[in-house]
Amino acid sequence: MPVGFQAFKEDGSLLFDIDRITYGLLKSGYLNLVDRWGRHYLRSGQLNPNDDGSWGYSDFRDPICGITVSGAISPIVFLVGDGKPCGEAVNGNDRTLYFKGCSPDTKAFIFDLMRDVGERSGMECYDAAGRISFTTGMPPLNVIATVDPPAINPPVSPNTDIRWTPYSGGGNERSGLEWSSGDFVQPKGAVFVPVASGELAACLTFSRICLLNEGFDLGAGTYRTNANEGCGGSQGGVRFFFSPAVATTAVMYGSSTTSWFDIPTDRQPQALVIRASDYPFPFR
């Protein structure tokens, strides 16, 4: 039996225990455009990929968004709006978290292990080792739901693994121009899942990867490239989506039809969901 302080919800479930470190809100704010990353592409499927001359490079065309936090230890990011993590950069005590597939109104709520954040009012709890395990200076993470993505669409015919859209009940969208008309136009295969009322934020437990024929109007031609999965909360639910992966290589491809294939179906992630309106925005 624990010997320290415990707090319980109205339904009797444990809210926090001072013997266990809790996650709390470290920062919230909009994601900002911080860079554009290009892609290497094979000029033709008939060329030797081992020959450097077979490759071209499209510079600064995939918008990358970011948000910087100080003193992060093990951050978890929940988004309102589309987006998916694509790396980070560390400079001293600052960490910039990168995301792809975002729009100018995508919100980020960054949670981290609770610790001393300089607040000198409210309540602090310590574990047996003297570490802060709970502080009202970091509003605690409260996951209200876990949501499974819809099933992956069956192949268009029994002898292929090609799918016109990734999710059953979903569709393809034209995206990529949220920040500039000079960026890549690219497809996004998305689906909305209703969860609860209000503005919600979501975090995907892991991301599946697949292959994609980018059959939208891409100017020089259609590319076959890698794609991966993301999610974000919205009013009343969660959007799951597949879109081109960041800094991926691509192959010129003749088909003008958007299609998705090699999507893993033996396992799937979940979206963890919080109610965004329960947290201050912006914060720190």
Side-chain angles (χ1 to χ4, degrees):
M1 293 288 293
V3 296
F5 180 72
Q6 292 179 312
F8 296 85
K9 300 179 184 180
E10 292 181 355
D11 62 5
S13 60
L14 181 66
L15 177 61
F16 73 90
D17 181 338
I18 68 167
D19 290 329
R20 298 191 173 100
I21 294 178
T22 305
Y23 266 72
L25 184 65
L26 181 63
K27 182 175 182 175
S28 65
Y30 287 105
L31 295 181
N32 295 309
L33 182 67
V34 295
D35 204 354
R36 284 182 169 86
W37 294 349
R39 305 183 194 180
H40 285 91
Y41 63 93
L42 192 64
R43 300 177 191 277
S44 170
Q46 286 70 46
L47 295 177
N48 180 6
N50 297 317
D51 183 352
D52 290 345
S54 300
W55 292 88
Y57 184 72
S58 54
D59 197 13
F60 303 118
R61 296 294 300 277
D62 275 325
I64 304 299
C65 301
I67 187 169
T68 300
V69 291
S70 297
I73 299 171
S74 181
I76 303 174
V77 184
F78 289 75
L79 299 180
V80 179
D82 287 354
K84 54 187 179 183
C86 62
E88 62 181 45
V90 177
N91 182 14
N93 199 40
D94 293 335
R95 182 182 301 197
T96 301
L97 307 172
Y98 295 133
F99 298 85
K100 185 178 183 293
C102 310
S103 66
D105 58 356
T106 296
K107 299 178 180 179
F109 293 82
I110 304 171
F111 294 85
D112 206 347
L113 297 172
M114 285 194 174
R115 56 192 179 277
D116 187 355
V117 289
E119 296 286 344
R120 292 297 175 260
S121 61
M123 183 176 72
E124 290 182 347
C125 297
Y126 298 80
D127 63 13
R131 300 173 301 175
I132 289 180
S133 59
F134 180 88
T135 172
T136 53
M138 297 178 69
L141 172 62
N142 182 28
V143 175
I144 65 168
T146 57
V147 182
D148 294 325
I152 298 299
N153 264 338
V156 297
S157 70
N159 298 322
T160 71
D161 190 44
I162 297 174
R163 296 163 169 85
W164 298 134
T165 60
Y167 302 104
S168 294
N172 291 331
E173 304 171 359
R174 182 185 175 97
S175 67
L177 302 181
E178 291 81 3
W179 298 93
S180 169
S181 60
D183 295 327
F184 277 121
V185 179
Q186 51 195 263
K188 179 182 288 183
V191 66
F192 175 80
V193 178
V195 178
S197 61
E199 184 179 66
L200 307 179
C203 174
L204 202 64
T205 53
F206 66 90
S207 179
R208 290 176 287 186
I209 194 166
C210 68
L211 292 175
L212 161 67
N213 291 335
E214 297 188 57
F216 283 78
D217 179 13
L218 302 178
T222 302
Y223 293 100
R224 174 171 290 179
T225 187
N226 294 317
N228 68 329
E229 197 168 15
C231 82
S234 63
Q235 284 290 335
V238 174
R239 269 172 52 94
F240 294 91
F241 66 91
F242 281 90
S243 65
V246 69
T248 184
T249 58
V251 178
M252 296 291 288
Y253 192 68
S255 172
S256 61
T257 303
T258 297
S259 56
W260 312 78
F261 50 104
D262 290 350
I263 302 175
T265 56
D266 60 332
R267 65 198 68 186
Q268 65 181 23
Q270 286 186 313
L272 308 179
V273 182
I274 64 172
R275 198 178 302 279
S277 56
D278 289 345
Y279 297 94
F281 183 90
F283 184 62
R284 289 200 182 94

